[in-house]
Amino acid sequence: MEAEQEQQAFDPASFEHVPVLLEECLEGLAIRPDGTYLDGTAGGAGHSRAIASRLDAAAGGRLIALDQDPDAVQTARQRLAGLPATVVQTNFRYAADALAGLGVAQIDGALLDLGVSSHQLDDAERGFSYRADAPLDMRMSQEGTSAADLVNTLDREELARILRDYGEEPYAWQIAGRIVEARQETPIETTLQLSGLIASAVPPAVRRKDKNPARRSFQALRIAVNHELDALEEGLDAIFGALAPGGRLCVITFHSLEDRLVKNKFRRWATACTCPPEFPVCVCGGKAKAKLITRKPIEAKPDELADNRRSRSARLRVLEKL
Ligand SMILES: C[S@@+](CC[C@H](N)C(=O)[O-])C[C@H]1O[C@@H](n2cnc3c(N)ncnc32)[C@H](O)[C@@H]1O
């Protein structure tokens, strides 16, 4: 009884998330009803449902949906019931293991819709939001090192590096200094405690201009807690390795660090010659492994922008394996 009162059981019906760039992803994936597809970020299964409902189970069509968050996995299992889909709780950096575990040798297309879901942001208890007070957590997988662990243990240099590298925060050094100073008095345990410290560390003029001075630092800590850039780097390699020739990879990013990583990786795969630029002729004889379907990222159209705030920073890139 006590435990029940302390922790409410998760209800999948409460998982709200509107999929972004849905039509653009479906078009990008060029779905074949008999194909095998991977959704590496199932979330509330918005994209997954749309993909799985275009598949023909009798012809061998199948979707494998992954998510590292147990709430998302529970939700996706419920929302994909009756469709040719299998949901696995894992980080997409381990996509190769997940596919091998299901006996899947190759996939015909894959989607990554990066970052956090609206559910993760809106569920204050998950500690992702600087707007609502909650324990400072931010772990998508709900295990491992939390944001509170980082802010209470890392030294000023390392904290500043995280805020600068992952949040592009111009006042990283000042904010890190304020955090280290404050935790000597009392540990930093809640989201509002941290956002208050951040606001007090930036110059008053910046505070007046920027309504949410904690936004960049919260993004940075979230990326560090979840090792998001390492997971993306490894996940892209694993998924590209599993793609069949002609298979499409669609990736939706929400900030410049992710987008740069995806853009550079796609460009390398789509480049034939790897000779230094000063060589007058190609001596490497390299062959491109992929072709870019989108040279510039696809952004949301005005209708979607008006309906869904999250779509404002969404960028979709699509690649086809050769
Ligand atoms: C933007 S949401 C996806 C929403 C989903 N496309 C939908 O339509 O409902 C991102 C999801 O990816 C998950 N996620 C983020 N990084 C992950 C990773 N490295 N491995 C597995 N899941 C990840 C998060 O837990 C979250 O549920």
Side-chain angles (χ1 to χ4, degrees), residues 21-93:
L21 297 170
L22 179 59
E23 287 311 318
E24 291 83 351
C25 286
L26 295 171
E27 196 181 317
L29 284 170
I31 298 170
R32 282 195 351 241
D34 61 347
T36 300
Y37 292 85
L38 176 81
D39 181 350
T41 50
H47 290 97
S48 277
R49 260 189 79 84
I51 297 168
S53 50
R54 282 161 178 75
L55 299 175
D56 178 358
R62 183 177 189 194
L63 172 74
I64 319 298
L66 315 178
D67 204 294
Q68 60 178 329
D69 183 339
D71 290 359
V73 167
Q74 212 181 318
T75 306
R77 287 208 172 112
Q78 205 176 78
R79 295 185 183 169
L80 293 168
L83 291 168
T86 310
V87 185
V88 180
Q89 185 183 335
T90 188
N91 192 306
F92 59 63
R93 75 201 299 174

Side-chain angles (χ1 to χ4, degrees), residues 128-161:
F128 284 103
S129 172
Y130 47 82
R131 292 201 179 95
D133 204 15
L136 189 56
D137 190 322
M138 302 197 195
R139 296 168 302 172
M140 292 190 204
S141 64
Q142 303 188 18
E143 53 186 36
T145 304
S146 70
D149 294 331
L150 295 189
V151 297
N152 286 301
T153 58
L154 297 181
D155 61 25
R156 182 175 184 180
E157 285 72 18
E158 182 57 6
L159 273 173
R161 187 197 65 77

Side-chain angles (χ1 to χ4, degrees), residues 110-128:
L111 167 69
L112 291 180
D113 172 19
L114 298 170
V116 278
S117 63
S118 306
H119 168 76
Q120 285 163 328
L121 278 176
D122 295 345
D123 181 357
E125 287 307 305
R126 302 293 302 270
F128 284 103

Side-chain angles (χ1 to χ4, degrees), residues 195-206:
S195 60
L197 285 172
I198 295 167
S200 71
V202 302
V206 172

